[in-house]
Amino acid sequence: HNYAFICRANNTGYCRIGKYTGTNSSTWPNSSATFFSGRAISIGGCWDSTASKLVIAYGNYDATERGDIVAGTVSASDSVTFGSAQTFDASRTDYKNNVVHDPIQGTNVIVWREGSNGTNYHILALTATLSGTTFSFGDTVSISKNALGDIVPSTWSTAVYDENAKQVLAAYVDSTDGSNTRGYTVALTVSGTNITASSPAYKFQDVN
């Protein structure tokens, strides 16, 4: 019945483990643990049930906003300790770094926007599989496409794991004309460390 509260305070990335004790009630047995001592931005996290680790993806503002990821081990006493951070994208990742766990494939899927010093704002995805607290990464794929199948720039994205479909659903905005009013979803099928994205399956409007 634990949960993790992940945040940035005074630019430092912190995590604190809470313990559910009843209706609208929780305790905080230990103090916050630092997962990044610099300025962390665009933070996302998930629980890796395969490796029994907490996974946090974030932008490292102090190093060109690159994308870093780190694994945390939650102890029986409800404290958390972190391994060494690894870089999954050396370019800018200045918007949300989403990470979700695929329990069938036993891996994590990172979905994020790469900045102007990389693909010029494409939404990308890759797998990050844990062994201990060390990640191994699959190939990066561009997933932000319009209804014609063309890769488009984007601003925000998000991702969730669909337990029934056994796929990751990613949603993103097409920012081609700057209006940010065309949103799409794609289904990501994971096989081992490979990701295959469907054609955009749904278009929604007025997402400003």
Side-chain angles (χ1 to χ4, degrees):
H1 300 295
N2 289 346
Y3 54 91
F5 184 76
I6 303 166
C7 70
R8 187 187 82 188
N10 295 322
N11 293 330
T12 298
Y14 290 107
C15 174
R16 191 172 186 183
I17 303 300
K19 198 169 186 66
Y20 179 73
T21 59
T23 303
N24 297 324
S25 178
S26 62
T27 60
W28 303 89
N30 299 283
S31 60
S32 299
T34 300
F35 67 85
F36 178 56
S37 59
R39 183 176 178 181
I41 62 174
S42 309
I43 303 167
C46 72
W47 174 251
D48 184 331
S49 58
T50 302
S52 295
K53 301 292 182 185
L54 177 66
V55 176
I56 302 175
Y58 59 95
N60 183 335
Y61 186 86
D62 301 326
T64 69
E65 301 175 356
R66 74 186 185 201
D68 285 350
I69 190 168
V70 66
T73 303
V74 181
S75 72
S77 61
D78 305 315
S79 63
V80 57
T81 56
F82 290 97
S84 299
Q86 294 172 250
T87 298
F88 64 86
D89 188 344
S91 299
R92 293 175 60 211
T93 63
D94 54 345
Y95 277 70
K96 183 67 178 289
N97 290 295
N98 307 279
V99 59
V100 296
H101 184 62
D102 182 333
I104 302 301
Q105 298 297 317
T107 190
N108 305 289
V109 177
I110 311 172
V111 176
W112 77 101
R113 188 190 83 157
E114 188 173 66
S116 57
N117 61 341
T119 57
N120 281 320
Y121 311 118
H122 294 173
I123 302 300
L124 308 178
L126 61 67
T127 58
T129 306
L130 270 172
S131 176
T133 57
T134 301
F135 293 93
S136 58
F137 302 112
D139 293 334
T140 301
V141 295
S142 296
I143 65 171
S144 52
K145 297 182 179 180
N146 60 20
L148 299 176
D150 300 322
I151 296 177
V152 295
S154 183
T155 50
W156 291 98
S157 67
T158 190
V160 296
Y161 181 74
D162 187 323
E163 294 183 358
N164 292 323
K166 297 178 175 57
Q167 292 176 304
V168 174
L169 180 69
Y172 55 89
V173 173
D174 177 358
S175 62
T176 302
D177 63 1
S179 66
N180 297 325
T181 58
R182 294 183 304 279
Y184 292 95
T185 60
V186 292
L188 306 180
T189 301
V190 182
S191 178
T193 60
N194 298 317
I195 296 175
T196 303
S198 70
S199 299
Y202 178 67
K203 177 180 176 182
F204 52 94
Q205 299 286 346
D206 300 326
V207 294
N208 278 332

